[in-house]
Coordinates of all heavy atoms in Angstrom, one line a residue:
Chain A
G205 N -34.8 3.7 31.3 CA -35.7 2.8 30.5 C -35.6 3.1 29.0 O -35.0 4.0 28.6
E206 N -36.4 2.4 28.2 CA -36.5 2.6 26.9 C -36.9 4.0 26.4 O -36.3 4.7 25.5 CB -37.3 1.5 26.1 CG -37.1 1.5 24.6 CD -37.6 0.3 24.0 OE1 -37.4 -0.9 24.6 OE2 -38.1 0.3 22.8
T207 N -38.0 4.4 27.0 CA -38.5 5.8 26.6 C -37.5 6.9 27.0 O -37.2 7.7 26.1 CB -39.8 6.1 27.5 OG1 -40.5 4.9 27.7 CG2 -40.6 7.1 26.8
C208 N -36.8 6.7 28.2 CA -35.9 7.7 28.5 C -34.7 7.6 27.5 O -34.3 8.7 27.2 CB -35.5 7.3 30.0 SG -33.8 7.9 30.4
L209 N -34.3 6.5 27.1 CA -33.2 6.4 26.2 C -33.6 7.1 24.8 O -32.8 7.8 24.2 CB -32.7 5.0 25.9 CG -32.0 4.2 27.1 CD1 -31.9 2.8 26.8 CD2 -30.7 5.0 27.3
H210 N -34.9 6.8 24.4 CA -35.3 7.5 23.2 C -35.3 9.0 23.3 O -34.9 9.7 22.4 CB -36.8 7.0 22.9 CG -36.8 5.8 22.0 ND1 -36.2 5.8 20.7 CD2 -37.2 4.5 22.2 CE1 -36.4 4.6 20.3 NE2 -36.9 3.7 21.1
I211 N -35.8 9.4 24.5 CA -35.7 10.9 24.7 C -34.3 11.5 24.6 O -34.0 12.4 23.9 CB -36.4 11.3 26.0 CG1 -37.9 10.9 25.9 CG2 -36.3 12.7 26.3 CD1 -38.9 11.1 27.2
V212 N -33.4 10.7 25.3 CA -32.0 11.2 25.3 C -31.5 11.2 23.9 O -30.8 12.2 23.4 CB -31.1 10.4 26.2 CG1 -29.7 10.7 26.1 CG2 -31.6 10.5 27.7
E213 N -31.7 10.1 23.2 CA -31.2 10.0 22.0 C -31.7 11.1 20.9 O -31.0 11.7 20.2 CB -31.6 8.5 21.3 CG -30.8 8.2 20.0 CD -31.4 8.6 18.7 OE1 -32.6 9.0 18.6 OE2 -30.6 8.9 17.7
R214 N -33.1 11.3 21.0 CA -33.6 12.4 20.2 C -33.2 13.7 20.5 O -32.8 14.6 19.7 CB -35.1 12.4 20.3 CG -35.9 11.1 19.5 CD -35.7 11.3 17.9 NE -34.5 10.8 17.4 CZ -34.1 11.0 16.0 NH1 -34.7 11.8 15.4 NH2 -32.9 10.5 15.7
S215 N -33.0 14.1 21.8 CA -32.6 15.3 22.3 C -31.1 15.6 21.8 O -30.8 16.6 21.3 CB -32.5 15.5 23.8 OG -33.6 14.8 24.4
G216 N -30.3 14.5 21.9 CA -28.9 14.6 21.5 C -29.0 15.0 20.0 O -28.3 15.9 19.4
W217 N -29.8 14.2 19.1 CA -29.8 14.3 17.6 C -30.2 15.8 17.3 O -29.7 16.5 16.7 CB -30.8 13.3 17.1 CG -30.7 13.3 15.7 CD1 -29.9 12.4 14.9 CD2 -31.4 14.1 14.7 NE1 -30.2 12.6 13.5 CE2 -31.1 13.6 13.3 CE3 -32.3 15.1 14.8 CZ2 -31.6 14.2 12.2 CZ3 -32.9 15.6 13.6 CH2 -32.5 15.2 12.3
W218 N -31.4 16.3 17.9 CA -31.9 17.6 17.7 C -31.0 18.6 18.2 O -30.7 19.7 17.6 CB -33.3 17.7 18.3 CG -34.4 17.1 17.4 CD1 -35.0 15.9 17.5 CD2 -34.9 17.7 16.1 NE1 -35.9 15.7 16.4 CE2 -35.8 16.9 15.6 CE3 -34.6 18.9 15.4 CZ2 -36.6 17.0 14.3 CZ3 -35.3 19.1 14.2 CH2 -36.3 18.1 13.7
G219 N -30.6 18.3 19.3 CA -29.7 19.4 20.1 C -28.4 19.6 19.1 O -28.0 20.8 18.8
H220 N -27.9 18.4 18.6 CA -26.7 18.7 17.8 C -27.1 19.5 16.4 O -26.4 20.4 16.0 CB -26.2 17.4 17.3 CG -24.8 17.4 16.5 ND1 -23.6 17.5 17.3 CD2 -24.6 17.3 15.3 CE1 -22.6 17.5 16.3 NE2 -23.2 17.5 15.1
M221 N -28.1 19.0 15.9 CA -28.5 19.7 14.6 C -28.8 21.2 14.8 O -28.4 22.0 14.1 CB -29.9 18.9 14.2 CG -30.2 19.2 12.8 SD -28.9 18.4 11.6 CE -28.7 19.8 10.5
L222 N -29.6 21.5 15.8 CA -29.9 22.9 16.1 C -28.5 23.7 16.4 O -28.4 24.8 15.9 CB -30.8 23.1 17.3 CG -32.2 22.7 17.0 CD1 -33.0 22.7 18.4 CD2 -32.9 23.7 16.0
G223 N -27.7 23.1 17.1 CA -26.4 23.7 17.4 C -25.6 24.0 16.2 O -25.2 25.2 15.9
V224 N -25.6 23.0 15.3 CA -25.0 23.2 14.0 C -25.6 24.4 13.1 O -24.9 25.3 12.7 CB -24.9 21.9 13.2 CG1 -24.4 22.3 11.8 CG2 -24.0 20.9 13.8
L225 N -26.9 24.4 13.1 CA -27.5 25.4 12.4 C -27.3 26.9 13.0 O -27.0 27.8 12.3 CB -29.1 25.1 12.4 CG -29.4 23.9 11.5 CD1 -31.0 23.7 11.5 CD2 -29.0 24.1 10.1
A226 N -27.4 26.9 14.4 CA -27.1 28.1 15.1 C -25.7 28.7 14.8 O -25.5 29.9 14.5 CB -27.3 27.9 16.5
L227 N -24.7 27.7 14.8 CA -23.5 28.2 14.5 C -23.2 28.8 13.0 O -22.6 29.8 12.8 CB -22.3 27.1 14.8 CG -21.9 27.0 16.1 CD1 -21.0 25.7 16.2 CD2 -21.3 28.1 16.6

Side-chain angles (χ1 to χ4, degrees):
Chain A
E206 192 163 324
T207 326
C208 156
L209 286 175
H210 269 297
I211 294 175
V212 173
E213 194 274 336
R214 283 292 87 192
S215 318
W217 192 93
W218 278 101
H220 187 83
M221 200 62 227
L222 284 173
V224 167
L225 292 178
L227 276 181

